[in-house]
Amino acid sequence: MAACVPYDALVPIPPTGRRIGTTLSSLLAFFSVAGIAGVLVAVLLTPAVALSGVGAKQGIGLFESLPSEVRIGALDQRTSIFATSHGKPVLLASFYAQNRVVVPWSSVPLSVQDATIAGEDVRFYHHGGVDANAIVRAAVADALGKTLQGASTITQQYVKNICVQQSESITDAAKSRAAYLECIDTSAGRKVREMRLAIGLEKKYTKNEILLGYLNIAGFGGRVYGIEAAAEYYFGEQAAKLTVPQAAALIAIVNNPEHFRIDEKANLPAATDRRDHILGVERDQGMISEAAYEQAVAAPITTHITPPPTGCDSAGVGGFFCDYVVTLLKTDPAFGRTEAIRAANLQTKGWKVSTTLNLDLQRTAQHVMNSYVPKSTKAFDVGGAAVSVQPGTGRVVSMVQNKDYDASGARGGRYSAVNYNVDMALGAGGGPQPGSTFKLFPLIDWLKTGHTLYQVVNGNPRTIPASTFTKCGSPDYDDKAWSVGNDEAGEKGNYSVMTGTAASVNGVFASLGEESDLCHVRDLAQSMGATNARGGALKMVPAMVIGGASSIAPLDMATAYATIANHGVTCDPIAIDRITDPAGNPVKVPAPHCHRTVPAGIAIAVAYALHGVITGGTMGGDQTADGLYEFGKTGTTDNAKDTWAIGSTSKVTTAVWIGNANGFANLREVFGFPYCGLQGSTQAAIERHCVWRGIQTAANRVYGGVTGWAYPDSQYLYGGVAIRHADARPHVKPAPRPKPTAAPSPAPSAPAPAPKPKPTKPTKPLPPPPKH
């Protein structure tokens, strides 16, 4: 919607060819017809005066029958999104239809007050809302064909701006346009209604309140509204610090915003003339001295154009996280009943949105990602994402990827608008398959159904009839036989589940799947936050037990693993800590939602098993050097299209994915990645280890964690219910009964305090790369 321009703008209009009888003379004609010509001045100054004559009484009655009260609603203001750096809020981005920051009277300096009175209504403090003298003066000049004189007071302009503001808040485009046209109608009838409302406004509010309202609502060119936003945009200053010439230059703009806006070089001569006129009136009215006037007009208008950071493109390393937050604000019914209302709220409510993002950790995480994963490569369309969440709260503290954020999505290459960390509904990403990181869920179900970590099962590659698997209580007759293969040629024979988990042996988890119900595995995964990134339920096929069915976003996998760190309680991810309105009042946001999905004893046992993955399994060598207790899991999908590393302490869970943003390149056949200290041929795949270790090390410095973990109850370690399938008979010795690697940690409700992080030394080369 176009900016509201105060009517009767004091812009010289050539008299040649001008027709006598414009709006103002028509206005007088209106009053004549109404029978109150000649008494208007008396009516305006003393509306209640008793005037003789039938025509006069009829005119007064008509005038006083008009609405006299204008509803002043909340002004459109910009919404700002904040992250935290060193414990202090840092602006990420702003969103607005009108760039406005409403300020109190204490923030309006005398320089601005004087310039406004001098430029727009020198008799403001001496009339009652309508200046009869100005009307007569303007009408005479108009009738004589002289330069147009302004007759509208600041109060009248305020009334008109309120009308325009209200029209622009209507979400229906056609109705909004109709209301706007009614507000700017030049007819005499609308002018009279405006006068009546101005008089009513003066009766209800003080002069200073009206002047403040006007300065907060007025347009200053483009999408800049209000004196504070104008001062920030044009001069990079707060309104309270504006000098006399700066204030005059800004007030000059409101007379004709597009003609006098000072961010366009072509406008500066006219804007300077208008500024100097205002300064001259200030001098003549005794507001400034002659010396101050001479000094002010001698100086050119020197701007410092400072646009506010608008949109997520301006959020720097927080671009994709910003996009995630904005999507939540636009899609969650908590922020508005309809999509249109939510979009309007983002642009107009002036909210201060405090997010969960730790900008210091975010910068480090982005540096790690940039160090090991290229933004683009000729070999394939590379994608990389990493997200860290807090167990126990679900707060998302960092979210990075290997691309630079570009909301347009048009540039490609190193740029993207797709957020790889979230599902399709929240970022347009379809999500990769999770590979072996999905093995978390059949492992949990294995323990829930009475089995143990040191039971021995068949780990051979083999073809398994689908009917061997159970789906919702019945044999799976819907799917084809499943040929399961192991990642390494030497992975054959029987394994304990503990060993098979550390080595990520597919055949072992096929055996676990045979003992489970696929519906239970699906429901468990979904309850822990691991939902289908493309919508709908997770697909139930035998291969799902090794992550070969559905796509799941990194944020959702991090949420599931954080459940184990939180002793079996899943907390839905949150990105918004709080929101306040312009007055500082809290705006209701969705409360953190945490619910138990895994028995605490099983969560402790699973963390114990996954700790073995880091100490001697497929994440061997990834353990950080800070001594904190960590557990995790790797994953690689068929043909090495995608590769994962997910790991956690008791305080932070980090999920890393690297793979094909588009296409099907085999990561084992792709080279050219930066070297990160690991040896081996699967260069692209092992970058996941370096990214995870780098980010988790930084997170541990900030959030700490426990150094020991509660030892699992023996019911989850030894014995267990009988295995149904004959091909699981052991022909290797069971794994020896283990000894605790650390003393049991305190109870989950009272974890050991986090150790004070120690400065880290440069990372030395790691051992040879693990299997995956």
Side-chain angles (χ1 to χ4, degrees):
M1 187 68 69
C4 175
V5 180
Y7 52 83
D8 293 343
L10 301 177
V11 181
I13 299 178
T16 55
R18 185 178 180 280
R19 186 164 59 94
I20 296 178
T22 60
T23 300
L24 291 172
S25 55
S26 299
L27 177 59
L28 293 182
F30 172 82
F31 281 116
S32 298
V33 173
I36 60 172
V39 299
L40 174 60
V41 172
V43 171
L44 296 179
L45 294 176
T46 56
V49 71
L51 299 174
S52 60
V54 175
K57 290 180 179 179
Q58 291 175 339
I60 295 171
L62 174 63
F63 183 77
E64 295 203 340
S65 68
L66 295 172
S68 62
E69 186 172 345
V70 60
R71 180 179 61 85
I72 302 177
L75 295 178
D76 287 1
Q77 296 191 60
R78 70 185 183 216
T79 289
S80 298
I81 297 176
F82 294 89
T84 301
S85 177
H86 301 294
K88 297 180 180 179
V90 176
L91 180 64
L92 281 181
S94 295
F95 298 83
Y96 53 82
Q98 297 180 353
N99 176 21
R100 176 188 284 110
V101 178
V102 173
V103 293
W105 181 252
S106 59
S107 296
V108 181
L110 186 61
S111 61
V112 172
Q113 298 173 37
D114 288 345
T116 309
I117 301 303
E120 296 301 309
D121 186 359
V122 77
R123 284 173 36 82
F124 175 68
Y125 284 100
H126 303 285
H127 60 64
V130 178
D131 190 349
N133 292 349
I135 291 177
V136 172
R137 182 178 64 248
V140 170
D142 191 38
L144 296 176
K146 295 183 178 181
T147 302
L148 185 64
Q149 301 292 310
S152 296
T153 65
I154 285 175
T155 311
Q156 288 175 264
Q157 294 182 43
Y158 185 29
V159 168
K160 184 179 180 182
N161 276 278
I162 291 170
C163 181
V164 170
Q165 180 77 46
Q166 291 171 350
S167 74
E168 293 178 341
S169 68
I170 300 172
T171 55
D172 183 279
K175 292 180 180 178
S176 175
R177 178 64 178 170
Y180 175 77
L181 293 175
E182 185 176 342
C183 292
I184 64 171
D185 178 26
T186 58
S187 70
R190 187 203 59 82
K191 190 87 167 183
V192 172
R193 289 193 300 273
E194 184 180 275
M195 290 179 180
R196 176 64 167 157
L197 292 171
I199 292 172
L201 206 63
E202 293 265 355
K203 292 178 179 179
K204 187 173 182 179
Y205 298 97
T206 67
K207 285 289 187 178
N208 287 354
E209 288 173 334
I210 292 171
L211 182 57
L212 175 64
Y214 172 74
L215 286 168
N216 275 322
I217 201 172
F220 286 84
R223 293 199 293 169
V224 180
Y225 288 79
I227 189 63
E228 179 70 16
E232 293 175 0
Y233 173 70
Y234 289 109
F235 293 115
E237 285 282 6
Q238 295 176 320
K241 297 180 180 180
L242 288 171
T243 64
V244 168
Q246 285 176 333
L250 291 183
I251 297 304
I253 297 174
V254 301
N255 183 262
N256 189 328
E258 296 311 311
H259 184 65
F260 291 136
R261 57 186 294 179
I262 53 178
D263 57 350
E264 296 183 8
K265 187 175 182 180
N267 290 346
L268 287 178
T272 301
D273 289 344
R274 179 64 188 165
R275 180 203 66 173
D276 293 349
H277 167 75
I278 292 172
L279 291 169
V281 175
E282 290 189 64
R283 176 200 57 194
D284 296 344
Q285 295 295 319
M287 298 172 178
I288 60 174
S289 66
E290 179 68 31
Y293 166 77
E294 294 294 343
Q295 182 179 4
V297 297
I301 296 176
T302 303
T303 61
H304 180 60
I305 304 301
T306 311
T310 307
C312 292
D313 284 309
S314 66
V317 296
F320 290 100
F321 178 83
C322 171
D323 181 83
Y324 171 48
V325 172
V326 169
T327 304
L328 291 175
L329 292 171
K330 287 183 175 181
T331 57
D332 194 325
F335 302 112
R337 182 171 48 85
T338 66
E339 183 178 353
I341 291 174
R342 292 191 291 270
N345 286 346
L346 175 65
Q347 299 276 347
T348 65
K349 288 296 185 181
W351 290 338
K352 291 184 177 179
V353 182
S354 299
T355 71
T356 59
L357 186 69
N358 183 320
L359 197 55
D360 305 310
L361 178 59
Q362 177 80 359
R363 293 188 180 113
T364 300
Q366 189 65 64
H367 174 73
V368 171
M369 178 66 74
N370 293 347
S371 297
Y372 299 126
V373 184
K375 294 183 182 295
S376 63
T377 174
K378 294 181 180 179
F380 71 114
D381 188 1
V382 58
V387 61
S388 297
V389 302
Q390 286 184 307
T393 65
R395 298 177 74 250
V396 181
V397 293
S398 75
M399 177 182 285
V400 300
Q401 60 190 62
N402 71 316
K403 304 291 186 181
D404 294 327
Y405 181 77
D406 173 24
S408 71
R411 288 192 280 182
R414 62 179 292 158
Y415 300 95
S416 179
V418 178
N419 189 340
Y420 301 144
N421 275 297
V422 298
D423 61 28
M424 185 172 287
L426 293 174
Q433 288 188 353
S436 291
T437 61
F438 193 86
K439 292 174 181 175
L440 169 68
F441 308 111
L443 177 61
I444 295 171
D445 192 64
W446 172 260
L447 296 178
K448 288 179 71 175
T449 53
H451 298 286
T452 64
L453 293 176
Y454 286 97
Q455 275 186 272
V456 176
V457 300
N458 182 3
N460 284 305
R462 58 197 186 275
T463 298
I464 308 172
S467 59
T468 304
F469 295 87
T470 302
K471 185 185 293 185
C472 300
S474 302
D476 181 6
Y477 294 117
D478 300 328
D479 299 302
K480 297 179 180 179
W482 176 34
S483 294
V484 57
N486 290 328
D487 195 60
E488 300 288 343
E491 291 177 337
K492 296 178 181 180
N494 290 359
Y495 295 78
S496 72
V497 173
M498 186 74 181
T499 302
T501 298
S504 196
V505 179
N506 290 340
V508 168
F509 282 83
S511 294
L512 269 59
E514 290 179 280
E515 299 298 317
S516 300
D517 187 312
L518 298 183
C519 285
H520 295 169
V521 175
R522 177 201 63 187
D523 295 344
L524 173 65
Q526 292 178 164
S527 72
M528 294 173 66
T531 57
N532 192 331
R534 300 175 184 271
L538 295 174
K539 297 177 182 178
M540 285 191 301
V541 295
M544 73 180 295
V545 296
I546 62 170
S550 301
S551 299
I552 304 177
L555 175 58
D556 293 347
M557 290 302 296
T559 298
Y561 275 74
T563 299
I564 303 305
N566 196 33
H567 301 282
V569 176
T570 299
C571 294
D572 296 342
I574 60 172
I576 299 172
D577 278 334
R578 63 190 174 277
I579 298 177
T580 55
D581 67 16
N585 300 313
V587 175
K588 188 176 181 180
V589 300
H593 178 233
C594 297
H595 54 290
R596 180 165 295 283
T597 53
V598 179
I602 290 179
I604 290 171
V606 169
Y608 171 78
L610 297 180
H611 181 61
V613 176
I614 285 186
T615 57
T618 58
M619 289 183 76
D622 289 3
Q623 192 166 18
T624 59
D626 45 44
L628 301 184
Y629 190 95
E630 294 168 332
F631 62 86
K633 188 73 185 70
T634 58
T636 304
T637 60
D638 286 347
N639 300 313
K641 177 181 180 291
D642 302 292
T643 182
W644 291 74
I646 306 176
S648 183
T649 64
S650 61
K651 296 296 184 181
V652 179
T653 304
T654 300
V656 175
W657 162 79
I658 300 171
N660 287 261
N662 293 286
F664 301 92
N666 188 318
L667 300 189
R668 292 191 168 110
E669 300 172 356
V670 174
F671 296 88
F673 278 42
Y675 178 65
C676 76
L678 295 178
Q679 306 293 325
S681 61
T682 316
Q683 191 179 4
I686 61 179
E687 299 303 318
R688 65 187 176 187
H689 300 286
C690 297
V691 175
W692 181 84
R693 185 180 60 183
I695 295 174
Q696 191 68 40
T697 296
N700 291 353
R701 289 175 185 152
V702 177
Y703 299 103
V706 300
T707 56
W709 198 259
Y711 194 68
D713 190 283
S714 61
Q715 67 174 309
Y716 303 117
L717 297 177
Y718 316 110
V721 299
I723 299 173
R724 292 179 297 157
H725 304 290
D727 59 359
R729 290 190 303 271
H731 59 263
V732 296
K733 291 183 179 180
R737 185 181 183 93
K739 297 180 180 180
T741 57
S745 68
S749 59
K756 184 176 181 180
K758 298 179 181 179
T760 58
K761 298 179 180 179
T763 304
K764 59 184 179 181
L766 298 178
K771 298 179 295 180
H772 41 267

